[in-house]
Amino acid sequence: MSTIAEFTIPAEAFALGHTLERVSDLEVEVERVVAAAPETVIPCIRLFGDEGTLERADDALAGDPTVEAATPILELEGERCYRIEWEQSVVDAVHLLTREQATVLEAGLEGDRWRFRVLFPDREALARSYEFATGQGVPIDLRKINRLEETRHGRFDLTDPQYETLVAALEYGYYDIPREIDMEALSDELEISHQALSERLRRAHLTLVTEAVGTDETR
């Protein structure tokens, strides 16, 4: 059965460790990605900071041994977006993680660690990928493993309407910063009342938070 694994890898052992070490006050955000091919994972990154921080980050990227090329594609006040061509070692590391027909669903940075969410055909494929990657020197810290049935059908005790509402809210940008859609517009898209949407989201959030903090208490 398909399995989703969440794990982290230190930046110094994967990508951008040089840049993060030299610009400690830099905030990095990875564009959303769903990719199976190693060379298409993490195509763009956004850097946030004041002008001085971004200038230092630009210099750091130019000297980062894990970056083949960083092409600016957007510059706003306090933000720069780059299209990244990764050095072969990064592509090879991603290949180690996806060699068992796996797909990277999410990739992002949390401090000085990369966080990945990867879909594997089954748990055995995950185990083989983990053993092979770690055997090749990639320091993987597994955080969570779920069967697809647990993440889509069990859904941490979410009802079908709650789950579908959360998915829609995510896809329409309700959780983006800044939000791309407000609750009124989202309720129109879902063809339910504003009150029904509010109640459904509140209950879904309560269920997820309860699961996250590890308590069985209910309200």
Side-chain angles (χ1 to χ4, degrees):
M1 180 173 292
S2 296
T3 299
I4 294 178
E6 298 178 22
F7 54 87
T8 65
I9 301 174
E12 62 182 14
F14 178 62
L16 297 184
H18 171 95
T19 298
L20 294 172
E21 181 181 357
R22 281 155 180 75
V23 193
S24 59
D25 54 342
L26 183 67
E27 293 184 32
V28 182
E29 181 178 294
V30 178
E31 291 290 272
R32 290 180 183 173
V33 57
V34 175
E39 63 274 10
T40 62
V41 172
I42 321 169
C44 298
I45 61 173
R46 292 178 182 269
L47 307 183
F48 299 89
D50 59 29
E51 185 175 352
T53 297
L54 293 177
E55 287 298 327
R56 287 186 288 117
D58 192 63
D59 292 338
L61 277 176
D64 196 310
T66 62
V67 176
E68 184 72 26
T71 305
I73 57 177
L74 176 67
E75 184 169 353
L76 302 172
E77 184 176 355
E79 173 187 352
R80 289 181 185 174
C81 184
Y82 295 83
R83 179 178 292 111
I84 301 293
E85 295 178 32
W86 298 103
E87 195 271 339
Q88 190 61 40
S89 65
V90 177
V91 178
D92 290 343
V94 175
H95 175 72
L96 293 177
L97 301 174
T98 59
R99 62 193 298 270
E100 293 280 348
Q101 298 183 327
T103 299
V104 177
L105 302 177
E106 295 178 20
L109 269 164
E110 294 179 350
D112 60 354
R113 299 186 69 87
W114 283 89
R115 173 186 49 78
F116 290 93
R117 187 166 177 265
V118 181
L119 173 66
F120 292 88
D122 49 48
R123 189 151 185 156
E124 289 72 22
L126 164 61
R128 290 192 297 270
S129 293
Y130 176 81
E131 291 176 4
F132 189 81
T134 54
Q136 296 296 313
V138 180
I140 298 174
D141 182 10
L142 276 173
R143 298 294 182 85
K144 197 169 189 178
I145 301 173
N146 286 317
R147 293 181 303 172
L148 189 59
E149 180 181 57
E150 293 171 343
T151 55
R152 285 194 58 82
H153 300 294
R155 301 174 186 137
F156 305 110
D157 294 326
L158 293 172
T159 65
D160 285 344
Q162 288 170 356
Y163 176 81
E164 291 162 4
T165 299
L166 288 176
V167 170
L170 184 63
E171 291 178 345
Y172 282 111
Y174 179 76
Y175 295 110
D176 289 356
I177 301 175
R179 283 179 173 168
E180 296 183 8
I181 191 172
D182 59 21
M183 191 171 291
E184 182 175 353
L186 181 59
S187 65
D188 289 340
E189 292 288 346
L190 295 173
E191 298 182 347
I192 61 176
S193 69
H194 183 286
Q195 181 178 351
L197 173 61
S198 176
E199 178 72 10
R200 192 177 294 176
L201 285 175
R202 187 187 71 79
R203 291 185 178 278
H205 293 164
L206 176 60
T207 298
L208 292 177
V209 170
T210 300
E211 171 68 21
V213 300
T215 178
D216 293 328
E217 293 180 3
T218 57
R219 295 176 184 269

